[in-house]
Amino acid sequence: MSGPGISVVICAYTEDRWEDILAAVSSVRAQSRPALETLLVVDHNETLRERLAKEYKESSDGRESSDGAVVRVLANAGPRGLSAGRNTGIAAARGEVVAFLDDDAVAERDWLWHFAEAYGDPRVMAVGGRTVPVWASGRRPDWFPEEFDWVVGCTYLGLPRGRVRVRNVLGGNASFRRSAFDAAGGFATGIGRDGDKRPLGCEETELCIRLSRARPDAVLLIDDRAVIHHRVPEIREHFRYFRTRAYAEGLSKALVARSVGAEKGLESERRYATRVLPAGVARGLRDALLARPGGAGRAGAIVAGVLTAAGGYVVGSVRARRGGTTFSVPEVEAAPGAGPSRVPAEGAARGGASP
């Protein structure tokens, strides 16, 4: 097997996703380009950790299981939340590359093969893929605009196609060289998700911008052939969740702007808001005039989503200025046998301070 060894990290937090977690692990085990290991990081849920440890007992100590795949079950060693869970996985990973897969997603067979291929270029520090929604109802709601598929954790209309250079990868379907964490530190805690309680995000955006600053020669890619399928539960198909998630995105963007500056932190968002979204509104209105289902709803949802996200950004900015919201970028120390320790670059944000 040529190319770098890849460790896959899957963060889990609830037994409600038990079947999804097993499916995610199975999809990693079925890769045409095998993973070095799968790390299941459980976020402060001892019942789930024990259940998963029992499920994968045959390979939890690092020995190969009957199908040749190593699965290790770990407890999140940091504060509650997705960022700390990912940092725990990074610290324990043995691979030269660390890939991340959502616990309610399944990867296509060549997912890791496309990641490994891209790392043939030594300048490449991160590679992401394409995330396709799997709607609980069986079909996309008529009113739900593809431009807002990021609301449900999926690739949205407006991202470039093919294998292209980007500002940031999307965290549920992404990979990084281990040396990226040497340069930039880990995922910032206090920005991303904390189970279902806070539908925040942008932790991978903030990390990628920090990485590009620490390593100006770094190349970050998205390859849309590296595909995963992400389950969208029924509750997320409703406008109430759409609005809540859009507002939370605004809050998160305010934190990113505080960390890395508004110019870089909102660079891609400006293009998205001034080019992609107006075109989406125009398509929706055109479809409405042609009596096509959902046209007016999609146009209205885009407008509502923009206004709601903007409101969240304003509130988040005010809170940040008042010191009401903090986050930190931890050092990610390697576990024994997992390779060199990883420390943040000089000037990385700490305790909410801008670099």
Side-chain angles (χ1 to χ4, degrees), residues 8-10 23-25 27-28 31 86 99-115 127-135 149 152-156 170-175 222-232:
V8 177
V9 174
I10 301 173
V25 173
S27 75
V28 176
Q31 290 295 298
R86 286 173 173 167
F100 299 94
L101 178 66
D102 277 346
D103 66 341
D104 54 355
V106 293
E108 291 192 359
R109 181 171 170 78
D110 292 333
W111 178 59
L112 291 181
W113 189 89
H114 291 299
F115 280 174
V127 185
R130 177 162 57 97
T131 302
V132 179
V134 179
W135 303 94
D149 276 5
V152 291
C154 295
T155 301
Y156 55 89
L170 304 180
N173 179 7
S175 62
I222 283 182
D223 188 337
D224 66 6
R225 299 171 300 170
V227 179
I228 70 169
H229 298 264
H230 187 273
R231 190 175 69 83
V232 181

Side-chain angles (χ1 to χ4, degrees), residues 2-355:
S2 61
I6 303 179
S7 299
V8 177
V9 174
I10 301 173
C11 295
Y13 69 97
T14 175
E15 290 182 274
D16 293 342
R17 292 186 178 180
W18 178 257
E19 296 299 329
D20 293 330
I21 297 167
L22 300 188
V25 173
S26 293
S27 75
V28 176
R29 285 178 152 180
Q31 290 295 298
S32 60
R33 203 272 188 197
L36 181 67
E37 60 186 347
T38 300
L39 303 176
L40 279 171
V41 183
V42 181
D43 190 16
H44 296 270
N45 184 334
E46 185 61 18
T47 300
L48 176 60
R49 191 200 65 77
E50 291 178 353
R51 188 178 178 189
L52 286 170
K54 183 178 180 180
E55 177 74 20
Y56 295 108
K57 182 178 180 180
E58 185 177 3
S59 60
S60 62
D61 60 359
R63 295 176 300 174
E64 289 197 358
S65 59
S66 57
D67 60 1
V70 173
V71 179
R72 298 161 61 199
V73 179
L74 310 170
N76 179 3
R80 186 181 299 276
L82 181 58
S83 290
R86 286 173 173 167
N87 290 337
T88 297
I90 294 164
R94 298 167 180 165
E96 181 184 343
V97 170
V98 182
F100 299 94
L101 178 66
D102 277 346
D103 66 341
D104 54 355
V106 293
E108 291 192 359
R109 181 171 170 78
D110 292 333
W111 178 59
L112 291 181
W113 189 89
H114 291 299
F115 280 174
E117 182 185 44
Y119 286 108
D121 182 343
R123 299 173 302 163
V124 173
M125 289 287 111
V127 185
R130 177 162 57 97
T131 302
V132 179
V134 179
W135 303 94
S137 62
R139 60 188 295 272
R140 173 186 296 276
D142 288 339
W143 64 270
F144 202 111
E146 291 184 55
E147 292 84 355
F148 272 76
D149 276 5
W150 54 263
V151 165
V152 291
C154 295
T155 301
Y156 55 89
L157 185 63
L159 283 176
R161 300 301 302 269
R163 183 194 284 178
V164 293
R165 194 165 181 171
V166 293
R167 181 194 67 179
N168 64 274
V169 297
L170 304 180
N173 179 7
S175 62
F176 294 84
R177 286 194 194 272
R178 290 169 61 114
S179 56
F181 304 108
D182 284 328
F187 287 92
T189 59
I191 293 182
R193 281 181 176 266
D194 177 2
D196 287 323
K197 296 178 181 179
R198 299 188 310 161
L200 301 176
C202 297
E203 63 272 23
E204 65 276 357
T205 301
E206 195 270 347
L207 170 60
C208 287
I209 294 172
R210 261 192 291 120
L211 173 59
S212 294
R213 286 185 170 179
R215 289 283 304 271
D217 61 331
V219 174
L220 285 66
L221 301 174
I222 283 182
D223 188 337
D224 66 6
R225 299 171 300 170
V227 179
I228 70 169
H229 298 264
H230 187 273
R231 190 175 69 83
V232 181
E234 191 271 339
I235 193 173
R236 297 187 182 183
E237 296 186 9
H238 298 287
F239 183 72
R240 181 177 181 181
Y241 180 82
F242 178 93
R243 183 179 58 192
T244 300
R245 179 68 184 88
Y247 181 77
E249 184 75 2
L251 294 175
S252 298
K253 292 298 183 189
L255 283 174
V256 172
R258 182 186 180 192
S259 172
V260 299
E263 180 179 356
K264 194 66 178 178
L266 300 177
E267 180 182 41
S268 296
E269 288 73 14
R270 290 190 187 96
R271 291 195 297 267
Y272 170 73
T274 58
R275 299 179 186 180
V276 176
L277 296 185
V281 172
R283 279 193 299 272
L285 294 177
R286 180 198 62 196
D287 288 347
L289 291 173
L290 295 174
R292 293 172 179 168
R298 288 192 297 275
I302 291 173
V303 173
V306 170
L307 294 176
T308 304
Y313 181 82
V314 170
V315 171
S317 298
V318 171
R319 289 178 180 174
R321 284 196 298 269
R322 292 177 176 175
T325 306
T326 61
F327 64 95
S328 61
V329 179
E331 296 183 2
V332 184
E333 297 292 342
S341 62
R342 292 167 289 279
V343 296
E346 183 179 358
R350 295 176 181 273
S354 297

